[in-house]
Amino acid sequence: MSNKPNAREAIVDTASRLFFTQGYHATGLNQIIKDSESPKGSLYYYFPHGKEELALTCINRTSEEVARLLRHYMESEAVPAQAVQNFIMSMANEAEKSSFEGLVPFSFWVAVETSCVSHELRTACQCVFRDWQDIIAKRLIREGVQEETAECKASVVVSLFEGALLQALTCRNIQPLEAAAECIPAILA
Amino acid sequence: MSNKPNAREAIVDTASRLFFTQGYHATGLNQIIKDSESPKGSLYYYFPHGKEELALTCINRTSEEVARLLRHYMESEAVPAQAVQNFIMSMANEAEKSSFEGLVPFSFWVAVETSCVSHELRTACQCVFRDWQDIIAKRLIREGVQEETAECKASVVVSLFEGALLQALTCRNIQPLEAAAECIPAILA
DNA sequence: TTTATTATGTAGACCAATTGTTATAATGGT
DNA sequence: ACCATTATAACAATTGGTCTACATAATAAA
């Protein structure tokens, strides 16, 4: 009872997990409907444009989720460098806890993959990176950093984190993330 | 005449380009044989184990190619930071020149994708990252940096570069790479 | 030197399985 | 009766992979 729109939620949940751990092309619609225990009819009922629309939804939803988390960490520390370090290490712990198999929402390497699919998906991924960068930059500006410098450093933080996550997932080891966190103060100084 | 093993070369060349720009799963065998103008018979003659064996060959070959390039840049400058900066900016120019569509061999985000395919591919990608890191670390150690610190900083450089490349390819803009290069001295100091 | 024999590649038709997608029928609550 | 949702079956297209036929070149036997 009262299972009104939870089929949609189940689909988006599992699809997000699969897209971000396996990749867009590696994830089949059949696997999504099997894992989410939802019928294929529902998938095309909620996402008439199919896989691409579903992916777009997953990207936007995950992006917002992460932005919220990032904002939380950036606000809850007096020193920006410490905030970023906490954020990175929390993600590292999360990844390790799930044996590098769970949804590590920041791992946006799907961006390049989906960029080849359609212009719409590429634009969505662009926005994701820009949003994250903005959150960090705004915090730095508030600290008195000049705007242009802040944008630049925020971009570096995002890049470093994405790259470290890529290495960590490949090697199934949080060491690259630890090294990244350690270097943050030197970058933001 | 004398066209002995150039079919193999053609296959590996085009397959590398496609794998590293589109991704492993997004690249079909049919596209490879069409683009390389080689018949499927030849593909399975040179790579009896199919797609996976071909991918392994592409990864190893590209990895060595990049390692050679990286080594070249690391040797040809007196100051390590300057060497890394030159390397990053040369890659940025290369990417821009091809409108972000050519083979940007450093973009190893396929690593995560292929990591899901087989243990063998994952191990290969791990080795790639370790090799690149070693090249940078050795140069830093030669400069008098302590071994452990050197390893850590080398890992950061690799992460930062990979992440910046990810952003650059997504946004079709070299700005993230420029920002990354600018930060290198602060990291290696 | 001519003739067999065997490697080495090329060429592409063919295969079962799966892909994303569509269409239509059946459900069930209001 | 209505409408939102679910449930199937089928769709063409493509996937990675196998198979056999064929050409050429190298080697061995006569």
Side-chain angles (χ1 to χ4, degrees), chain B residues 8 20 22 37 40 43 65 83-84 106 108-109 144 156 158 179:
Chain B
R8 197 193 128 105
F20 285 100
Q22 305 181 334
E37 290 174 339
K40 194 172 270 192
L43 200 161
E65 190 182 312
V84 174
F106 240 107
F108 248 74
W109 49 274
V156 168
V158 173

Side-chain angles (χ1 to χ4, degrees), chain A:
Chain A
M1 294 82 188
S2 80
N3 52 346
K4 284 178 296 184
N6 72 351
R8 196 193 129 104
E9 276 306 298
I11 289 173
V12 176
D13 278 350
T14 45
S16 295
R17 204 191 65 238
L18 293 174
F19 280 150
F20 286 99
T21 50
Q22 303 181 335
Y24 179 79
H25 289 98
T27 304
L29 257 24
N30 293 325
Q31 190 185 3
I32 293 175
I33 61 141
K34 191 183 293 177
D35 281 29
S36 67
E37 291 173 338
S38 306
K40 192 174 271 193
S42 301
L43 201 161
Y44 273 90
Y45 174 76
Y46 291 112
F47 306 96
H49 296 296
K51 192 179 187 180
E52 195 176 320
E53 188 183 357
L54 175 58
L56 196 62
T57 305
C58 291
I59 287 173
N60 287 331
R61 214 198 58 166
T62 304
S63 162
E64 274 169 37
E65 189 182 313
V66 169
R68 211 174 318 124
L69 195 65
L70 180 56
R71 220 174 275 122
H72 162 75
Y73 273 93
M74 292 310 287
E75 301 300 330
S76 66
E77 278 283 347
V79 186
Q82 185 65 49
V84 174
Q85 281 183 311
N86 287 352
F87 173 75
I88 294 180
M89 288 317 295
S90 92
M91 279 291 184
N93 292 331
E94 203 70 32
E96 198 175 33
K97 204 161 57 183
S98 71
S99 307
F100 302 92
E101 277 167 7
L103 164 57
V104 187
F106 241 108
S107 58
F108 248 73
W109 50 273
V110 265
V112 187
E113 197 187 2
T114 51
S115 292
C116 296
V117 175
S118 81
H119 178 68
E120 213 173 355
L121 284 178
R122 217 192 92 231
T123 310
C125 292
Q126 273 182 249
C127 290
V128 171
F129 286 136
R130 190 173 38 67
D131 285 352
W132 296 349
Q133 191 179 323
D134 270 5
I135 294 171
I136 300 170
K138 284 218 168 63
R139 180 72 173 85
L140 293 177
I141 290 170
R142 182 139 52 86
E143 215 70 16
V145 180
Q146 203 203 334
E147 186 171 336
E148 211 173 324
T149 318
E151 296 279 0
C152 180
K153 291 194 171 184
S155 162
V156 169
V157 169
V158 174
S159 292
L160 176 55
F161 180 67
E162 280 297 320
L165 206 46
L166 176 73
Q167 273 198 84
L169 288 176
T170 306
C171 303
R172 315 223 180 210
N173 194 316
I174 64 166
Q175 219 168 30
L177 286 165
E178 289 175 330
E182 213 170 304
C183 265
I184 291 294
I187 292 171
L188 296 186

